[in-house]
């Protein structure tokens, strides 16, 4: 056994710390991504039409963008600190692959955003209309390109491609940058994340504008903002659903255990049914408590197969099938997890022997063990598991998070369709339910976003790098008390930042747009 | 060009509204805490703080990967 339970507290607290920091960080990010695009569209409308109300709207929403940007900026750096302190084995293991996209992100974020954000805020009446507009568009481009690199790095962890492991340095080295950048996982992760961020921003604009409607203030400004954000939101949520579908197909192929956990699916098969809702409960007849029986489930026949492969009769493996070994829809046969654990242990032993052979200059032994290592490297991480059941993520958390995300996504479709319809007919304020629904959807959009990340990140457990490195191997052996202390320090700092953001933002919203009456 | 850029920043900061100044204060305090307290004191890079050379770091991780308890 290569792992024991003494590391559990340290691993759990390190995970909690990373999760808490990431959750707080992602409270600031999506509004920056989407509002930047809406600002650019609003300012373009002003430059094209000369309509001053678009200028007023741009300046008001730019103020809220600025507050969110200022409070949120650099919060992601704490995650990078954690890589070095709490996840040093992981940081070394992934090496340049994770480092390169993050470095590009840092440079782009610094130059593009810091330059053009300054022009965007300080440049009114100092630079030409068109240069100011270009700057606003560049802020949008910069923010979204930053997101691209972060998400490419994250996608690589979910589906490691374009690299080769160097057994001497114990690092993965990038051998195909384009394979990493254009992997289907990277594409679906980026497109799904940014379109969902646009949806959240549209919910924010419709919700805040609805507050003005309910207060009977700045009505023309509010109507204009609602109209634009509803169109923007409707397009965004449709794209979010479309990219979510691509993401589901990718997960089916690259992370079948995550897909099975999303469904709480124990026994898969051809024409698998989709569970709309159900109650995952323990069942003593199942081999482990990590697997759940689905009570009171409402199913849609064959729909899961369709979601996974766009084929109603496609084969979808369940958790038990993955444990036992299965042949995928594309004809690839995967051995049982017991076998993959044995392969992983063979790879670990071969790596150890190889290094010793190189040290002793025993070339024949080095060559033969390197071959063994390479043949088993795809199952490397399984060698650290104590039991096949360790490969099962937390089913109820993933199952419910997925349904909350999808359910709220459907609610947003309704919100944008209804608000657009009534805003177009200038009847938005006549039906009080709609502005109240819009207000309700602002926090719901944040919950949906966080649930999406829970599905992605909890769903891939125990892996920090899919199939290659489990979380408990990635962690640095430091005192768990230290991690607990810093956890609470980060929690306090981020809570203060969030309160500051909300306070300043509410104050500016109450003030409203400056020149509109 | 440089003079214009300098003036843009100078004038922007000089005529910044109160809420803008508050935000800058928050940013400065936040970055100070992050870099002076967290980075320097609480969250040092483990491998950099324990080992000098890349080889030593590599040996440590190699040991972790192959002799994990």
């Amino acid at each position: 056994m290569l792992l024991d339970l003494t590391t559990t507290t340290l691993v759990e607290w390190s995970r909690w710390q990373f999760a808490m920091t990431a959750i707080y960080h992602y409270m600031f990010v999506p509004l920056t991504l989407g509002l930047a695009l809406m600002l650019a569209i609003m300012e373009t409308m002003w430059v094209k039409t000369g309509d001053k109300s678009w200028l007023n709207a741009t300046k008001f929403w730019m103020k809220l963008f600025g507050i969110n940007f200022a409070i949120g900026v650099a919060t992601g750096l704490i995650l990078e600190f954690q890589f070095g302190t709490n996840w040093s084995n992981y940081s070394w293991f992934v090496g340049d692959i994770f480092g390169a996209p993050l470095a590009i992100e840092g440079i782009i974020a610094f130059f593009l955003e810091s330059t053009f954000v300054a022009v965007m805020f300080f440049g009114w009446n100092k630079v030409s209309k068109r240069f100011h507009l270009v700057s606003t568009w560049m802020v949008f481009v910069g923010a979204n390109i930053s997101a691209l690199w972060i998400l490419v790095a994250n996608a690589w962890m979910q589906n490691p491609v374009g690299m080769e492991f160097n057994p001497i340095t114990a690092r993965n080295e990038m051998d195909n940058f384009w394979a990493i950048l254009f992997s289907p996982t990277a594409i679906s992760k980026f497109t799904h994340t940014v379109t969902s961020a646009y949806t959240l921003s549209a919910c924010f604009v419709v919700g805040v504008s609805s507050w003005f409607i309910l207060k009977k203030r700045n009505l023309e400004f509010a109507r204009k903002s609602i109209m634009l954000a509803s169109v923007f939101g409707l397009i965004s949520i449709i794209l979010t659903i479309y990219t979510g579908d691509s993401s589901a197909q990718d997960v089916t192929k690259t992370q079948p255990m995550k897909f099975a956990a999303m469904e709480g699916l124990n026994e898969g098969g051809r024409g698998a049914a989709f569970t709309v809702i159900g109650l995952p409960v323990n069942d003593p007849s199942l081999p482990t408590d990590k697997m759940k029986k689905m009570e009171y489930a409402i199913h849609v026949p064959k729909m899961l197969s369709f979601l996974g492969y766009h084929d109603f009769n496609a084969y979808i493996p369940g958790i038990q099938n993955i444990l036992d070994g299965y042949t995928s829809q594309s004809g690839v046969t995967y051995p049982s997890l017991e076998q993959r654990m044995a392969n992983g242990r063979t790879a670990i032993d071969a790596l150890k022997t190889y290094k010793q052979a190189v040290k002793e200059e025993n070339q024949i032994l080095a060559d033969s063990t390197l071959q063994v290592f390479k043949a088993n490297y795809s199952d490397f991480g399984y060698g650290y598991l104590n039991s096949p059941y360790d490969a099962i993520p937390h089913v109820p958390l993933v199952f419910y998070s997925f349904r909350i995300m999808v359910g709220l996504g459907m609610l947003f479709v309704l919100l944008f369709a209804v608000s657009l319809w009534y805003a177009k007919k200038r009847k938005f304020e006549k039906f009080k339910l709609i502005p109240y629904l819009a207000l309700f959807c602002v926090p719901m959009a944040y919950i949906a976003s966080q649930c999406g990340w829970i599905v992605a990140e909890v769903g891939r457990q125990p892996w920090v790098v899919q199939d290659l490195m489990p979380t408990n191997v990635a962690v640095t052996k430091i005192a768990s008390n230290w991690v607990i202390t810093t956890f609470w320090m980060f929690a306090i700092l981020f809570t203060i930042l969030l309160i500051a953001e909300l306070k300043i933002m509410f104050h500016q919203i109450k003030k409203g747009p400056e020149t509109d009456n | 060009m440089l003079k214009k850029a300098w003036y843009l920043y100078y004038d922007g900061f000089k005529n910044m509204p109160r809420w803008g100044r508050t935000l800058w204060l928050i940013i400065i305090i936040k970055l100070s805490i992050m870099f002076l307290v967290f980075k320097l004191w609480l969250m040092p890079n483990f491998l950099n703080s324990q080992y000098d050379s890349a080889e030593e770091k590599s040996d440590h991780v190699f040991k972790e990967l192959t002799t994990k308890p």
Side-chain angles (χ1 to χ4, degrees), chain B:
Chain B
M1 184 72 180
L2 274 176
K3 208 175 168 184
K4 271 187 179 174
W6 161 254
Y7 179 72
L8 180 86
Y9 282 89
Y10 174 78
D11 194 56
F13 281 113
K14 199 177 149 196
N15 297 313
M16 193 179 278
R18 201 174 153 204
W19 65 270
R21 288 174 200 274
T22 310
L23 284 179
W24 271 103
L25 186 67
I26 291 170
I27 292 172
I28 290 163
I29 293 171
K30 175 178 68 179
L31 291 178
S32 305
I33 293 171
M34 278 172 57
F35 285 99
L36 299 177
V37 180
F38 290 148
K39 184 64 188 162
L40 283 183
W41 182 51
L42 293 173
M43 304 292 288
N45 183 298
F46 176 80
L47 291 176
N48 289 347
S49 65
Q50 300 288 316
Y51 306 101
D52 294 323
S53 68
E55 201 183 340
E56 285 175 317
K57 291 174 195 172
S58 160
D59 284 346
H60 168 79
V61 176
F62 187 88
K63 207 172 155 194
E64 287 281 297
L65 291 178
T66 53
T67 58
K68 195 86 181 170

Side-chain angles (χ1 to χ4, degrees), chain A residues 397-467:
Chain A
L397 184 56
V398 180
F399 176 84
Y400 284 126
S401 298
F402 179 70
R403 271 142 196 86
I404 293 169
M405 176 187 73
V406 173
L408 288 173
M410 296 302 130
L411 179 69
F412 303 149
V413 174
L414 179 75
L415 169 74
F416 295 129
V418 168
S419 63
L420 178 61
W421 176 264
Y422 284 104
K424 221 176 159 196
K425 289 181 168 286
R426 297 182 73 84
K427 284 182 179 173
F428 189 89
E429 53 264 49
K430 285 190 180 166
F431 299 95
K432 285 272 157 59
L433 190 66
I434 305 170
Y436 279 116
L437 174 69
L439 270 177
F440 172 73
C441 281
V442 177
M444 291 305 110
Y446 283 89
I447 289 172
S449 275
Q450 299 291 353
C451 283
W453 277 109
I454 289 171
V455 173
E457 300 304 305
V458 178
R460 72 168 150 124
Q461 289 300 318
W463 305 112
V464 64
V465 181
Q466 184 70 35
D467 297 343

Side-chain angles (χ1 to χ4, degrees), chain A residues 279-313:
Chain A
L279 183 69
V281 294
N282 285 337
D283 180 353
S285 69
L286 291 169
T288 169
D289 279 353
K290 291 184 110 181
M291 291 166 74
K292 305 290 174 188
K293 183 183 170 190
M294 205 54 69
E295 295 272 34
Y296 312 113
I298 299 170
H299 297 295
V300 180
K302 294 180 183 272
M303 185 50 84
L304 190 64
S305 289
F306 183 78
L307 287 174
Y309 286 97
H310 284 185
D311 173 353
F312 286 110
N313 292 310

Side-chain angles (χ1 to χ4, degrees), chain A residues 51 85 109 116 134-135 146 157 183 192 234 279 303 323 333 338 371 374 459 516:
Chain A
D51 182 348
T85 306
F116 292 110
V134 168
S135 300
S146 288
M157 293 158 75
S183 87
H192 190 53
L234 199 56
L279 183 69
M303 185 50 84
L323 292 169
T333 298
E338 287 279 8
Q371 291 305 318
K374 282 185 174 175
D516 183 76

